[in-house]
Amino acid sequence: MANINLQFKTNYAVSSKIEPFYKGGKVQISRDEKYIFCTCGSRVNVLEISTGKIVHSVEHDDQEDITSFALSCDDELLVTASRALLLKQWDWRQAQCTRSWRAIHTVPVASMTFDSTSTLLATGGCDGTIKLWDVVKQYCTHNLKGSSGVVHLVQFHPDISQLQLFSSSLDCGIRLWDLRSSQCVCVLESHYSAVTSLSFSSDGGTMVSSGRDKICTVWNLKSRKANRTVPVYEAVESVIVLPQNKDYPEIGVTSKDLHFITAGSKGVLRVWEASTARCVYTQTLTAVSEVEEEDKEDDPRSLMYLLHMPASSRLATVTAEHNILLYQLPGLTTQQQFVGYSDEVLDVKFVGKDDSHIVVATNSCQLKVFELLTNSCQILYGHTDTVLSLDVFKKGFLFASCAKDRSVRVWQMDSTSGQVHCVAQGSSHTNAVGTISCSRLKASFVVSGSQDCTVKVWDLPADLSTSEAEVHQLTPRATEKAHDKDVNSVAVSPNDKLLASGSQDRTAKLWSLAGEGNVGLLGVFRGHRRGVWAVCFSPVDQVLATSSADGTTKLWSLQDFSCLKTFEGHDASVLKVIFVSRGTQLLTSGSDGLVKLWTIKTNECVKTLDAHQDKVWGLHGSRKDDKMVTGSADSNITLWLDVTDVELAEEQAKQEDQILKQQELSNLLHEKKYLKALGLAISLDQPHTVLTVIKAIRQVEDSSELLEKTLLKLRLDQRESLLRYCVVWNTNARNCQDAQAVLQVLLTHVPPEELLQYQGARAHLEGLIPYTERHMQRIGRLLQASMFLNYMWQKMRVAGAPSSASQDEEMDTTPLGQPFFTIDKEKGVGSGDEEKRDGDDGDSGQDEDPDCPADEEDCDDEVSATKKASSNDERTENGGSAKTNGNHHSESEESSEEEDVEGDEKVETTEKVVKCLPVPSTPQCQTFAS
C-alpha cells in the first residue's frame, strides 16, 4: 500500500468561498468605478471590481426583501427600500443604518434615484405616486400623483437647475414633472410597451428612451418632440448614449453624430447611429450554437442592464443569468466577468496549471471557469441544456463535460492565457448524459453513462490542439447496456484497463476495457439497499469505493467482488466519494450538506466538515492532494485547504512553549519572584499552577502581607481570572483556605463597584457562598471537637502523685503516643517549677485534694519499675475504685525497666495515667495516702 511514513490527514479548513452576491434586481456602479452595488434578497452587496470579492454588505433587520436602492452621486449615501415600506439610509462603508423612516407609500417602492447634488431622492411606488425627499433636511418635499400603475422608472434631468423629473409607469408614456410647480408638464408618448431606460446626451438637450416594444426613440427635450424612432428588432432593456466628443472607429463610430448602444433580449451589444437609424456595429459572441442563434425571448444570455463607466471608458452588462460582464471601450473586449448567482452547483473540478482554476457545472447550459486568485470567471457556451457532470484529464488542461442535451464535449484550456475553448463534441445517447469519466494515463478516450441505461466509450483524436473554429466530432467506440436503470456514475481505473459503473438499480459493475471495440462485464457488486451515486477506484489498491443513497460508503475487492468495509455516518444519501492520502483515506459528501474524512484502516470518521446548507454534489481533490473543492445546491463553492501539517506544527510549538513557560515558572518560584510567577501562571490559564504559586506565597514568613502585595499588583484581567479560579478551588476542602485567603485580599482592597465590573463576577460570587458556608460549618464542628480534646487534656493528671507545695498538680505535656511518664529523683523536688507553669490554668485548682499530705513529696526519691507493681497491688487492695486503664501499659514496661534498678529499696512512686473519661482524683489521693 502507501508509504509507511505517510501522514494521515486530520482536518481541512475553508480557504475561500465563491458565494452568490446578486439574485436579480437593480445594479449600480459607484462614481469612482471601484464598486458594484447589487441586491441579493434582503441584502445589498458591495463587490470590489479589482478583486471580485464582497467587501461590504448591508441587510435589513426584518429580513424583508429589498425592492429598490439608490447610491448618491457622491458615493456617500445609500438608501434602501424594503417590502416592509421602510426607507433606510446607510453608511455603507461601516454597514451601519444612520436613519430609518416610513415611506408614506401604501405599497412597496419600485424605483428610486438621487439627483446630481445628492440632496434630493425620488421614490416611485407601486401605488402610482412619486415622492421626493430632502435627505439633508429629512422631510418629504413633493408628492406627485397622476401615474397609472407601478412607477418603475424615475430619473432626474442631468442639469439640476432645470428641476425636472422624468418617470414612466404602466401607461407606456414618459411623464415630465416640473418640480417648481409639482405639476406634470407633458407626457412623451412613443412607446407601446414598458419604457425600460432613459439616457441623456452630454448637453442635456437630447434624450434616448428604450422599450420592450423593440424600438428606441430619440427626443428633443427643448421641443419635447420625438426626433426619430429607431427600430432595433429586439426587446431593449437598457440604452447608453455614447460621448459625442470621442471617436470609436472599432465599433463603427466615425462621425460626431449622436450614437447610442442598446442591450436587450439577443444578448449582444449593438451601436446605432441616431441620425440615420442604422446599426453600425454588432457585438459577436464566441461559440454560439445554431439553436442559440435563433431569436429566443428567454435566452439566458439576454441582457437586463447596461451601465456606462465614463472614467475608465468601460461598459458593464448584467445578463438574465445574473452574470456581470465588464467590456473595455472602444473595442468592446471582455475585461472581467462575475457570476452573481450559480443556482445549484452540480459538479466542480480543479483545472489548469497547479490547479489554478476550477470549472463548475451549475443548473444551466453554461460552464463557468473561475480563476481562484481573482474570482474572475470565464463563461463557456456550447451545451444547450443543463450540464450535469465533469471530469478532468491527468495534466489538467483538458476536461470533458456532459449534459441533458444528450451530448458530451471536450474542452481545452490554453496553458498561458487560461482561455478555454471546445475542441470535440459527440452526441449519440438517446437520453440525458448524467456522468462522464476521462482516461487516466493519457488523453485517449472518455466514457459516458446516461439515463438511457447505456455506457459509451468515445475515442479522442490523437491531436486535439486545434484552432477554436474546428471542433472534432466524436463517435463512440463501444456501447453497452450496462444497467436496468439510470447510470449515475462511471470511473476509469488508474491503468485504463477497467471501468466501473454505478446505477439506480442498486448495483455497481466492473467492466474490462482491454478488448478492441467492446466492453466486457467482469462482475457485479451487490450490497447497497438504494441506488449507487458514485464509484471511484483506489489509486494504489485493487479496491473500488461506492457511495449510495442508503447513507453508506462501501469498499469492494476487485478480485472476488466482496465487500471489504462499510462506512456509516451520513444521515442521508452519500453523493460523492474520492480517495485521498494515497488511497489510505476517503472523502465523502452527502445530501446532509456534510463532508466527512475517513481513515480506511480504522473505519473511523476523522473529521466532519460543515460549510454547506444543502446537497454537496461536487467534490474533487487537487493533484498535489493538499486542497479540495466542494460545490453544493446552496449555490456555494468552497475551497478547502489541508491544515494537518499546520495544526501539527502549531501543537508542537504550543507544547514547546508550555515546556519553556513551565521551566520559567519553576525558576521564578525558586527565585521567589512571586508576582511574575503568578502572572505567568495566569497567562498559561492553568488554575492548578496558579494554586501552586499561591501555596508557595502562603508558606513564607509574613505570608498575608506578601499575598496582599502580590495580588494588588495584578492587572484587571488577571484578577478576573484569579476570581474565576477561586470559585473552583473553593469547592475543594483541601484548597479552600488558599481560595479564602485570595478572596479576603480581593474583597478587602477592591471596591465593590470595580469587583462587579469583572466578567461573570455576580455568578462567581453566588457560586462562592454555598461552599463557603459549608466550610464554615465544617470548621465549626472541628473547633468543637478540638475544644473537647483540650478539655480532656486539662483533666489528665499524674495519678497517685502528692500535690506540690503550691497545691498545683502537674499537667502532662508529653505527646499522646506515650501513655505516661515517670519523675526522676533529681527532678522530683524541682518539678514544682513546671507545676507552677502548667498550673496557671484555671481548671487545675479544682482538682486539688486538701486531704493529701504535703510532705509525701519528700518520699519520692527514686522511681523503680519493680515497685510499680507493688504500688499497683496496694492500690487494688486498699481501694477498688483506684483501678486504672493503664495496668497493661505498666506491665509491658516492667521488663524493660527492671534492668536499670539498683538496690531493693522501696519507694512510693507516682504515675500518670491517660484516661478516656475524667475521673475525680480525690479517691486516688486518699488511696495513696493510706
Side-chain angles (χ1 to χ4, degrees), residues 10 129 209 493 774 883:
T10 57
T129 64
S209 63
S493 65
R774 194 179 301 175
K883 289 181 180 180

mmCIF file of all heavy atoms in Angstrom, residues 10 129 209 493 774 883:
data_model
loop_
_atom_site.group_PDB
_atom_site.id
_atom_site.type_symbol
_atom_site.label_atom_id
_atom_site.label_comp_id
_atom_site.label_asym_id
_atom_site.label_seq_id
_atom_site.Cartn_x
_atom_site.Cartn_y
_atom_site.Cartn_z
ATOM 1 N N THR A 10 -5.936 15.007 9.100
ATOM 2 C CA THR A 10 -6.827 15.114 10.263
ATOM 3 C C THR A 10 -7.855 16.229 10.119
ATOM 4 O O THR A 10 -8.894 16.189 10.762
ATOM 5 C CB THR A 10 -6.017 15.375 11.547
ATOM 6 O OG1 THR A 10 -5.239 16.564 11.375
ATOM 7 C CG2 THR A 10 -5.091 14.199 11.844
ATOM 8 N N THR A 129 -47.659 56.720 -7.236
ATOM 9 C CA THR A 129 -47.236 58.052 -6.767
ATOM 10 C C THR A 129 -45.713 58.140 -6.751
ATOM 11 O O THR A 129 -45.020 57.121 -6.659
ATOM 12 C CB THR A 129 -47.758 58.354 -5.347
ATOM 13 O OG1 THR A 129 -47.163 57.431 -4.424
ATOM 14 C CG2 THR A 129 -49.269 58.238 -5.291
ATOM 15 N N SER A 209 -34.839 57.031 -25.311
ATOM 16 C CA SER A 209 -35.605 56.093 -24.474
ATOM 17 C C SER A 209 -35.669 54.741 -25.170
ATOM 18 O O SER A 209 -35.675 54.658 -26.404
ATOM 19 C CB SER A 209 -37.009 56.633 -24.230
ATOM 20 O OG SER A 209 -37.712 56.739 -25.454
ATOM 21 N N SER A 493 -10.213 3.028 -14.278
ATOM 22 C CA SER A 493 -9.150 2.639 -13.353
ATOM 23 C C SER A 493 -7.854 3.370 -13.690
ATOM 24 O O SER A 493 -7.667 3.845 -14.818
ATOM 25 C CB SER A 493 -8.933 1.127 -13.410
ATOM 26 O OG SER A 493 -8.455 0.771 -14.692
ATOM 27 N N ARG A 774 -20.550 25.942 53.779
ATOM 28 C CA ARG A 774 -20.277 24.541 54.118
ATOM 29 C C ARG A 774 -18.930 24.410 54.828
ATOM 30 O O ARG A 774 -18.798 23.658 55.803
ATOM 31 C CB ARG A 774 -20.288 23.706 52.836
ATOM 32 C CG ARG A 774 -20.348 22.215 53.086
ATOM 33 C CD ARG A 774 -20.375 21.454 51.771
ATOM 34 N NE ARG A 774 -21.504 21.823 50.947
ATOM 35 C CZ ARG A 774 -21.695 21.370 49.718
ATOM 36 N NH1 ARG A 774 -20.813 20.526 49.196
ATOM 37 N NH2 ARG A 774 -22.743 21.726 49.020
ATOM 38 N N LYS A 883 -8.710 1.368 90.389
ATOM 39 C CA LYS A 883 -8.247 0.625 89.210
ATOM 40 C C LYS A 883 -8.114 1.567 88.026
ATOM 41 O O LYS A 883 -8.923 2.450 87.856
ATOM 42 C CB LYS A 883 -9.263 -0.470 88.868
ATOM 43 C CG LYS A 883 -9.274 -1.603 89.879
ATOM 44 C CD LYS A 883 -10.277 -2.676 89.465
ATOM 45 C CE LYS A 883 -10.289 -3.800 90.455
ATOM 46 N NZ LYS A 883 -11.233 -4.858 90.089
#
